[in-house]
Amino acid sequence: MIATRLLFLAATVSPVAAQTVAEVQVAPPSVSIKVGEHYGLLATAYDRVGNVLPAARIQWVSNNTAVARVDGSGTVTGVAAGVAIVEARAGQKRGQAAVQVAATQGQPPANATSGSSGGDPFAGQPPGTGTAAVLRIDPPSVYLLPSEHTRVSPRALREDGSPAAPVAVTWKSLREDIASVDVGGTVVALAPGQGTIQMTGPGGLTATAPVVVQQSDFAIQEGSSLTLAPGESDTLHVVVPTQESRLISPIALTWISTDQSVAQVSLNGVVRAAGSGKASLSVSGFLQQKSVEILVHRAVDLFDVRPSTRADVEVPVTSTVRFEAKALAADSTPVPEARLVWTVADSSIAAFDPAAGILTGRKIGRTQLLLRGPGVTPLRTSWSISVIAGSLKLVTSRIGITQGGRLALKASFIDDTGAVLGPATGLTWSSEPSSVATVSEDGTVSGVGPGHARVTATAPGGKTAAADLFVESELLLAGTRNGSLKLYWVDRANLSALRRAASDTTLATDPAISPDGSRVAFVSTRDGNPEIYVMDADGTSLTRVTNDPQPDGRPAFTPDGAGVVFQSQKTVAGKQFLEIYAAALDGTGLKALTTDSLNQTPSVSPDGGTIAYASTRNKNSDIWLMSRDGGNQRNFTKSPQQNEMEPHFLRDGSLAYLVERRVENRTVRQVMKANLVTGATTPLTGTDYFVAGFAVSSAADMIALVVPADPSNRKNPQYRIYLQPTSGGAPTIIPAGLTEQMLAPVFLP
């Protein structure tokens, strides 16, 4: 049987622009014939601009004449089963066609031995060891278009699924009317339908694979249009969507360009942009044809960009910067079709959205934003990107420490809403004046001398945050060293050197220090009546908290430092009461927390949820507890034989207070510590002193005791302050004159 010769007619032949052969195409690029059949191939020569060269001399060559021979006119004759590549040569240019020759019944393949193809019976099998327990065909199922061919391979496997030693196999088609298979595993689709190929190996091992032959539309995977820059290349792929979008071998297809001066296409679907313009590429085969439109835009010679690339672009963390870029031709006119590629060198530092042109800072650091244009040697430009802190926030904005004390300040990066992004890094620190405090590279501040310093942290990019640092002595007390009661700071190392806490001359007593150590609340009569005032630890920024015709006293800060609780004397129907109140530092939010008796000396727990106070509502002085809003009032101590007073919450949440009782016909006072959960108590002092007041240091290593110099002098007592180590040992007295009073000690937190 002689197959019908394919005739190729050029619809339009352009004038010859150049006689040098630039390309040779063979049609069809693949063909399947049987042994003894003939098929006519057609070769066409083109010049560099796509003109057909009808006078070009064509030479035909077969790379395997044992499979297929070709004569000078391009007629191929099948000799033996197998595959041969037939070339059409014009000068140095070549075009190719793949020729699949199928054996007739009983005809062995060229150069074949039993069960082999091309002399190698194990061709295509992976290496392995051991005896095969099972055979598999790869791929396990075959989809083809009519007249299409493909090759399948044997797989010999051991029982555990690992590769066995390669084996010699024979192939057979169980539906030769639908698909044939040669000894090398090449399957040729002959007619629509479903067939089966069978592979047989040693020991009777067999495997089968279905072969589905169906007429289906193919499609160009890259779509219906493609944009390229001059000199660029791309590869087009043809797939069968209804057959799991499998690729069709390019040697089975024919590609043609309508204008080779714009776009040229090879036998394998490789498109090269030759010059600016538009062209259409068509692919044909298996009685189908599809096309793709090619746009080759003008060459890009420069970019018009915003912002400028000359300086670093700074973007805060989580913030954005917009970038714009236009591709321009040599005459500075836009090339809107040009594809621009944006990349970020380190995407962990910044992210870029090419569609919107938006760069977003992700974390502190430096990177580059790169812009690349189209073309074989694309135009490039870049921006240096510095992602800086959106804002910087210190863990605290004010803090107090002792002279010689140290504290590590921490900072966080925050976004525009104030949300914390993470720990701040790369900071530089400074402190002014250095006579008050110094700061190290890691943010550790050291107290040098009394006063107020400003500590500043600066982030990469210049964002800053600052904290007010107050350096003071460890102990604050009320004393009459200069006549009337004033507040004084004193250090353990030099107890005789009292330093005034403020420069005014009015009475001041009952000091309390805020949990951060930066403020002092106290009682003063500067406006004619005992009221609560607040000032910075250095004696500045005085604020009046209460404005009441009745005397107020014994302030205690809330744990957040934003408010105070205190006692206030009230007269109702000629009867006097002491009640507990709460207010913000500016005096707003004043609220009575008790309303029924003599309630005094409040103290707030470290978590802010509980207030302890002394009350005589049961005719005996007991320690009572209540919620911060005044609710859930209940007595903690219930001992008619003794009085409990002066409660002070300690840093660990336990409660210290004074206990007064009779021992051997004398009244003694002792400082006790109680666990609020279990109620268990522990003595912090003995009974040697008649304690009138006390304070416990933040480290719980020292107790300051207010003791009358002469306990028998109840009418005009002279009070002294003793410092007693909690670990035991002799107490130390703060020196004072004969008529001098020392009262109300409080330790810096």
Side-chain angles (χ1 to χ4, degrees):
M1 178 184 296
I2 301 177
T4 303
R5 182 182 178 114
L6 177 65
L7 299 179
F8 179 82
L9 299 178
T12 303
V13 179
S14 302
V16 177
Q19 295 302 311
T20 302
V21 177
E23 184 178 7
V24 176
Q25 292 187 5
V26 177
S30 65
V31 64
S32 298
I33 61 176
K34 292 183 178 181
V35 173
E37 284 186 340
H38 306 287
Y39 198 98
L41 299 174
L42 180 64
T44 306
Y46 299 89
D47 66 10
R48 61 183 178 81
V49 294
N51 295 314
V52 176
L53 302 175
R57 292 185 58 189
I58 304 295
Q59 291 183 330
W60 293 92
V61 178
S62 171
N63 77 332
N64 193 348
T65 56
V67 172
R69 295 193 302 268
V70 61
D71 62 17
S73 65
T75 299
V76 178
T77 301
V79 176
V83 177
I85 302 298
V86 174
E87 285 188 351
R89 301 176 179 177
Q92 299 299 317
K93 303 300 180 180
R94 302 180 182 188
Q96 293 182 344
V99 178
Q100 168 79 38
V101 180
T104 57
Q105 189 170 4
Q107 173 72 33
N111 303 320
T113 59
S114 176
S116 68
S117 176
D120 183 3
F122 308 123
Q125 297 189 49
T129 59
T131 303
V134 66
L135 295 181
R136 294 284 186 267
I137 296 175
D138 183 29
S141 58
V142 180
Y143 290 88
L144 295 171
L145 301 174
S147 77
E148 190 181 4
H149 69 275
T150 189
R151 187 179 181 187
V152 293
S153 301
R155 295 289 182 265
L157 304 175
R158 301 169 64 175
E159 289 185 355
D160 61 1
S162 61
V167 297
V169 299
T170 59
W171 296 92
K172 179 181 180 181
S173 172
L174 303 183
R175 288 292 305 271
E176 292 188 349
D177 58 325
I178 293 176
S180 66
V181 60
D182 69 9
V183 292
T186 299
V187 182
V188 179
L190 302 176
Q194 181 165 332
T196 303
I197 56 173
Q198 178 179 285
M199 177 179 68
T200 304
L205 295 177
T206 62
T208 60
V211 179
V212 179
V213 180
Q214 57 184 187
Q215 185 63 51
S216 300
D217 286 343
F218 61 59
I220 299 173
Q221 190 177 51
E222 286 67 30
S224 60
S225 63
L226 184 65
T227 300
L228 297 172
E232 275 190 328
S233 296
D234 204 348
T235 301
L236 300 177
H237 303 84
V238 178
V239 298
V240 183
T242 59
Q243 296 178 359
E244 299 179 350
S245 294
R246 68 175 182 85
L247 288 171
I248 296 178
S249 173
I251 67 172
L253 303 167
T254 300
W255 288 92
I256 298 175
S257 171
T258 59
D259 190 343
Q260 294 208 40
S261 66
V262 174
Q264 299 170 0
V265 60
S266 72
L267 296 177
N268 294 328
V270 177
V271 183
R272 187 181 71 85
S276 59
K278 294 182 179 180
S280 179
L281 304 182
S282 63
V283 59
S284 58
F286 308 106
L287 304 179
Q288 302 181 53
Q289 180 173 303
K290 296 293 186 292
S291 63
V292 56
E293 300 302 317
I294 304 296
L295 170 63
V296 180
H297 59 71
R298 292 174 297 158
V300 175
D301 284 75
L302 64 156
F303 290 137
D304 179 17
V305 298
R306 303 285 187 281
S308 172
T309 60
R310 296 179 180 177
D312 284 7
V313 177
E314 292 186 348
V315 52
V317 175
T318 74
S319 295
T320 60
V321 174
R322 181 181 295 276
F323 289 79
E324 297 178 359
K326 293 181 180 178
L328 304 179
D331 60 359
S332 296
T333 57
V335 185
E337 306 89 355
R339 291 179 293 109
L340 303 182
V341 179
W342 300 82
T343 55
V344 176
D346 188 343
S347 59
S348 68
I349 292 177
F352 189 76
D353 179 359
I358 298 296
L359 182 134
T360 303
R362 285 183 168 176
K363 71 176 185 179
I364 301 298
R366 292 178 62 83
T367 186
Q368 278 191 320
L369 176 63
L370 310 172
L371 173 63
R372 179 171 59 87
V376 178
T377 55
L379 187 66
R380 302 172 188 268
T381 192
S382 65
W383 290 263
S384 294
I385 306 297
S386 294
V387 179
I388 62 176
S391 291
L392 190 63
K393 181 181 180 181
L394 296 178
V395 173
T396 182
S397 61
R398 44 190 303 133
I399 193 71
I401 64 173
T402 61
Q403 296 182 63
R406 292 166 58 86
L407 177 71
L409 290 179
K410 301 297 182 182
S412 300
F413 291 129
I414 61 175
D415 62 17
D416 293 339
T417 67
V420 174
L421 302 173
T425 58
L427 304 180
T428 56
W429 295 85
S430 62
S431 177
E432 181 65 32
S434 58
S435 60
V436 174
T438 59
V439 59
S440 63
E441 292 180 356
D442 65 354
T444 299
V445 293
S446 300
V448 177
H452 172 206
R454 187 81 166 165
V455 179
T456 303
T458 303
K463 297 292 183 177
T464 63
D468 290 297
L469 179 69
F470 297 89
V471 179
E472 297 297 344
S473 301
E474 181 183 13
L475 186 65
L476 181 64
L477 55 85
T480 59
R481 178 147 297 185
N482 294 311
S484 63
L485 280 171
K486 303 288 186 304
L487 301 184
Y488 294 89
W489 293 100
V490 64
D491 282 316
R492 295 190 202 186
N494 189 358
L495 295 177
S496 62
L498 272 61
R499 179 171 50 84
R500 286 277 297 275
S503 59
D504 62 85
T505 59
T506 56
L507 178 143
T509 188
D510 291 354
I513 304 176
S514 63
D516 62 12
S518 70
R519 291 187 173 96
V520 174
F522 62 100
V523 175
S524 176
T525 57
R526 67 188 60 215
D527 295 314
N529 191 56
E531 304 287 357
I532 308 297
Y533 290 81
V534 172
M535 65 181 178
D536 284 345
D538 65 347
T540 62
S541 304
L542 184 70
T543 300
R544 182 172 178 172
V545 179
T546 63
N547 187 8
D548 195 316
Q550 300 293 334
D552 303 318
R554 300 303 296 268
F557 278 94
T558 56
D560 59 7
V564 290
V565 294
F566 58 93
Q567 67 186 41
S568 182
Q569 180 176 304
K570 304 298 177 187
T571 302
V572 179
K575 193 173 183 179
Q576 289 188 338
F577 295 87
L578 273 176
E579 305 296 352
I580 308 299
Y581 284 77
L585 295 188
D586 61 0
T588 61
L590 181 67
K591 180 180 180 180
L593 302 181
T594 64
T595 57
D596 62 346
S597 184
L598 295 176
N599 304 296
Q600 55 191 330
T601 62
S603 178
V604 187
S605 63
D607 63 6
T610 304
I611 297 175
Y613 59 101
S615 178
T616 58
R617 62 184 64 174
N618 290 338
K619 309 303 180 182
N620 191 62
S621 181
D622 291 314
I623 304 299
W624 283 66
L625 304 176
M626 63 179 169
S627 301
R628 183 173 177 175
D629 62 359
N632 191 27
Q633 297 188 16
R634 70 268 187 202
N635 58 329
F636 177 67
T637 61
K638 305 174 184 178
S639 46
Q641 297 82 13
Q642 60 187 30
N643 292 314
E644 293 86 16
M645 61 200 81
E646 289 276 342
H648 294 282
F649 272 104
L650 305 184
R651 180 179 288 183
D652 63 2
S654 60
L655 187 67
Y657 52 88
L658 277 178
V659 175
E660 181 184 86
R661 63 181 183 273
R662 296 286 295 176
V663 176
E664 297 179 355
N665 296 322
R666 69 187 183 97
T667 301
V668 299
R669 287 186 177 181
Q670 186 177 22
V671 181
M672 303 293 291
K673 182 176 74 169
N675 184 307
L676 292 189
V677 177
T678 65
T681 59
T682 304
L684 294 181
T685 66
T687 59
D688 299 335
Y689 296 107
F690 189 82
V691 181
F694 73 96
V696 181
S697 66
S698 61
D701 65 334
M702 184 73 69
I703 301 179
L705 302 174
V706 180
V707 177
D710 180 7
S712 63
N713 184 358
R714 300 288 184 91
K715 187 174 182 181
N716 295 300
Q718 295 289 319
Y719 290 104
R720 299 290 181 263
I721 294 178
Y722 288 84
L723 298 182
Q724 173 72 58
T726 56
S727 59
T732 302
I733 189 172
I734 297 178
L738 292 177
T739 61
E740 192 174 350
Q741 298 279 15
M742 293 286 180
L743 301 167
V746 59
F747 285 94
L748 195 71

